[in-house]
Amino acid sequence: MWTLSGFADEIDPDPAAQCRVLNELGIRYLELRSAWDCNVLDLTDEQVADVKRVLAEHGIEVSSIGSPIGKINIEEDFDAHLLRMERAVELARELGAPFIRVFSFFLTQKQKPEDHRDEVIRRLSALADKAMAGDVILLHENEKDIFGDVPARVHDLVTAVDSPALRLTWDTANYVQCGVVPFPEAYELLRPFTDYIQIKDATLGTGEVVPAGEGDGRIRETIRALAADGFDGFFSMEPHLAARHHLGGFSGQDNFIRATKAFTAILDAEGIPYR
């Protein structure tokens, strides 16, 4: 049974409005990235308590903390950033989230990945140690312009860190925007390390983000392969169908619903049960 989740801040900044739409869609989890236009790691303890109350009122749980950990340049101060990791772990435990999303540090066009590879591994190892101590699992997201943007480097970092506290989230659209058709090559390489799926698609020609199945990410083929592999985990809606802002992508209620229905239509056509 596959489980739906989503970056509900793409619906509305207000958690109550987010939860109402999730309830309408029958989605029982969210990936907490922000609330009230405030990044999850910057929420006060009082705001976290308010989020917990709203989630409980709507029967919603947290699948992952959608943190911005690792979304700094590789040469920026890491010690201060490591303190942010401690807050992420604290929030994951407080909210019952088994996962925390992370990244592997931005590189400028002048910063060659091979020159910074060892520092990326050192930093991710330190983050994984924090996660291990807090009994949570990090999910590395393949994002544009970071070290782990293409499959070969994603594989390098996850195998080099070699920690049970560091696994992968699969983002089809991000791969496409890097010029990669992720199935089957990336899938075969990275499936053994992949525990979580983020749902959005994109077109190779323009990089435009589109609903699942409408782009070049070969989502239908990926879904079939995951089903054949016996995958049993979260699928997190991240539509990115409207404007971007400082907290990430945004879609609005109508686009979030449209994107969710596009994905569930694929699951229905494939005869895959979900909740």
Side-chain angles (χ1 to χ4, degrees):
M1 180 70 70
W2 291 359
T3 304
L4 301 183
S5 183
F7 287 82
D9 59 350
E10 293 214 13
I11 299 169
D12 191 279
D14 180 12
Q18 298 171 19
C19 288
R20 285 194 293 269
V21 173
L22 294 179
N23 284 163
E24 291 174 11
L25 290 168
I27 297 176
R28 301 186 297 109
Y29 288 84
L30 61 72
E31 184 154 354
L32 186 59
R33 181 174 57 188
S34 70
W36 305 291
D37 284 327
C38 181
N39 184 274
V40 60
L41 300 190
D42 297 320
L43 295 173
T44 65
D45 290 344
E46 291 76 14
Q47 287 175 313
V48 173
D50 285 342
V51 169
K52 286 185 67 175
R53 175 184 54 78
V54 171
L55 294 180
E57 288 174 351
H58 292 84
I60 303 292
E61 298 180 63
V62 181
S63 63
S64 179
I65 301 297
S67 87
I69 296 295
K71 274 198 164 186
I72 60 172
N73 184 269
I74 189 60
E75 294 184 356
E76 289 185 53
D77 178 43
F78 180 60
D79 289 340
H81 201 59
L82 199 56
L83 294 176
R84 299 273 280 171
M85 184 72 232
E86 294 178 3
R87 177 59 171 168
V89 171
E90 178 184 340
L91 289 174
R93 293 181 63 82
E94 175 70 15
L95 294 164
F99 300 111
I100 300 171
R101 180 191 65 163
V102 298
F103 303 86
S104 53
F105 306 96
F106 286 120
L107 300 171
T108 67
Q109 291 185 344
K110 294 182 178 180
Q111 293 173 316
K112 296 180 180 179
E114 59 269 25
D115 293 339
H116 298 277
R117 184 258 186 194
D118 290 349
E119 178 63 11
V120 168
I121 302 306
R122 184 189 75 82
R123 291 183 175 201
L124 282 173
S125 296
L127 294 173
D129 287 345
K130 292 280 188 184
M132 180 80 79
D135 195 28
V136 294
I137 296 172
L138 305 184
L139 296 169
H140 175 271
E141 178 180 341
N142 52 290
E143 174 69 82
K144 293 176 296 183
D145 301 323
I146 63 173
F147 178 87
D149 57 353
V150 294
R153 285 197 291 271
V154 173
H155 184 266
D156 180 29
L157 67 85
V158 74
T159 54
V161 173
D162 191 24
S163 168
L166 178 65
R167 302 288 289 174
L168 303 179
T169 186
W170 174 276
D171 191 305
T172 291
N174 288 351
Y175 278 133
V176 171
Q177 290 177 334
C178 292
V180 174
V181 178
F183 187 90
E185 290 186 16
Y187 182 88
E188 293 174 352
L189 182 66
L190 300 176
R191 173 64 184 93
F193 311 96
T194 300
D195 286 352
Y196 198 96
I197 312 293
Q198 291 176 195
I199 299 298
K200 61 181 187 285
D201 206 345
T203 60
L204 278 170
T206 65
E208 178 187 4
V209 177
V210 294
E214 297 182 16
D216 296 306
R218 305 195 72 189
I219 286 181
R220 288 183 179 85
E221 293 88 342
T222 304
I223 292 306
R224 290 173 192 148
L226 287 166
D229 285 348
F231 184 87
D232 183 19
F234 289 107
F235 290 79
S236 186
M237 302 303 306
E238 191 186 14
H240 279 23
L241 293 179
R244 289 186 61 83
H245 54 72
H246 68 289
L247 295 170
F250 186 75
S251 296
Q253 175 177 320
D254 291 345
N255 278 327
F256 190 93
I257 292 172
R258 177 166 69 98
T260 300
K261 289 186 175 180
F263 178 60
T264 56
I266 294 174
L267 299 182
D268 290 338
E270 296 295 325
I272 297 172
Y274 58 90
R275 58 188 174 188

